[in-house]
Amino acid sequence: MPQTSYALTDTITSMLSARLHSTYLVQITQILASSPSVTDPTLKFAVALALVRGVSVTELGIGIGETFDTIRVMLSTVSKAELALDRLLWEFGHCLSSIAGSGNSFDSLDVQSVVRALDWLRDKLPGPSDLPGLSWDKWDKLCEVFQNGVLPDMYPALKAIKGKLTPLPDSSIPTTLIPDARVRPLALSINALEEVLQPPAPVPCTPTRKYRSLPPGRDRDVLGLVALSPPTALLRSPAISGLSKTYTKNDFRELRQTPSARQNTSRMPSLHVDEFELGGVTLSPLVQPQSISVPIDPNAMGVQPFGLGAPFSMS
């Protein structure tokens, strides 16, 4: 299934990118390499890379000759467009460096398998190429082993390999071998298992504020969040100017001494009690008392006729 192939490819390439390997990965790649149902070229290429990396990890104890034969046969069914030759050269160079540095001797069958795989790789390359991770000393040592281990009919292929492949020393991070749980079981406490299974809690954060474009050299600091007004703007504020009035010189007294300021036309003029008792008050023509005559029958109840006088008589 395409989804399964994609998941396997992603898992294998992720482990290789992290410089990790394990016995389980070796078993899985060996099963996939020998299965005829694997037709995805991307998965085949990932399996070949994992097998080459496994040879470079001497602790895994993978057979050199058998592995290189499997890689050559499997990659022969992959089109040239699907082959990442740079990545393949990197894996081959570091693998050969590990073989030469291990000091272990391998028989002529293993040598022939390695030479046939290198000859296949040489044929796929468009021109002279480098083998990263391999020093000149190790390359010369391997070429001497190849010369003594191959059959005479493979001499032309070995000569072509030497003319097209060149070692390129570099420093690389060694691959870490994941411990086998059957040899050293993993021990996890309840708290550690809970942390692994519990999904991470979201971290609260302040929403990002939409800033306006600032000129170069100005940083968005804390004061950038507050709009500061100059002092003069505060003094010109309508809320401040309408609350009080500033008097200059003696204008307050001058305003209160004008006749218009002392007049109160909202009510009629009033009299002081002392002025009213002294009688020196001239009444307004509008309020002068008037005599009112009322006709009364003299024979009624013995009442004498009289007339109304001025009110408020003080005599």
Side-chain angles (χ1 to χ4, degrees), residues 60 65 74 89 122 179 195 218 228 233 237 255 260 295 312:
L60 292 174
M74 184 172 53
L89 285 169
R122 175 201 59 81
E195 292 180 359
R218 291 193 59 185
L228 299 178
S237 174
L255 289 174
S260 61
F312 309 108

Side-chain angles (χ1 to χ4, degrees), residues 81-96:
E82 299 289 342
L83 293 174
L85 296 176
D86 293 339
R87 181 67 183 276
L88 199 59
L89 285 169
W90 193 93
E91 294 291 348
F92 265 80
H94 286 80
C95 181
L96 294 175

Side-chain angles (χ1 to χ4, degrees), residues 178-198:
I178 300 176
D180 192 349
R182 295 171 297 182
V183 178
R184 189 173 62 184
L186 298 176
L188 291 177
S189 63
I190 299 298
N191 295 333
L193 185 61
E194 183 180 359
E195 292 180 359
V196 172
L197 298 179
Q198 185 177 5

Side-chain angles (χ1 to χ4, degrees), residues 103-222:
N104 299 328
S105 59
F106 47 98
D107 54 19
S108 60
L109 295 178
D110 294 339
V111 172
Q112 295 176 21
S113 299
V114 173
V115 172
R116 280 194 291 264
L118 290 175
D119 188 50
W120 170 87
L121 178 61
R122 175 201 59 81
D123 185 62
K124 298 294 182 181
L125 295 173
S129 303
D130 296 329
L131 288 172
L134 184 61
S135 64
W136 279 99
D137 295 339
K138 293 181 179 180
W139 178 242
D140 293 338
K141 180 181 178 180
L142 287 174
C143 290
E144 184 179 355
V145 174
F146 295 159
Q147 187 73 27
N148 298 329
V150 297
L151 299 176
D153 59 347
M154 298 183 66
Y155 288 161
L158 183 59
K159 183 179 180 180
I161 292 172
K162 293 180 181 179
K164 203 167 188 179
L165 296 178
T166 304
L168 180 63
D170 66 351
S171 58
S172 62
I173 303 174
T175 301
T176 304
L177 181 63
I178 300 176
D180 192 349
R182 295 171 297 182
V183 178
R184 189 173 62 184
L186 298 176
L188 291 177
S189 63
I190 299 298
N191 295 333
L193 185 61
E194 183 180 359
E195 292 180 359
V196 172
L197 298 179
Q198 185 177 5
V203 180
C205 61
T206 304
T208 57
R209 179 169 177 168
K210 296 181 179 179
Y211 295 96
R212 294 179 299 176
S213 59
L214 297 178
R218 291 193 59 185
D219 298 331
R220 297 186 177 95
D221 51 3
V222 177

Side-chain angles (χ1 to χ4, degrees), residues 240-241 243-249 251-252:
I240 299 300
S241 60
L243 295 178
S244 61
K245 177 181 172 88
T246 303
Y247 294 93
T248 59
K249 296 181 181 180
D251 52 355
F252 178 76

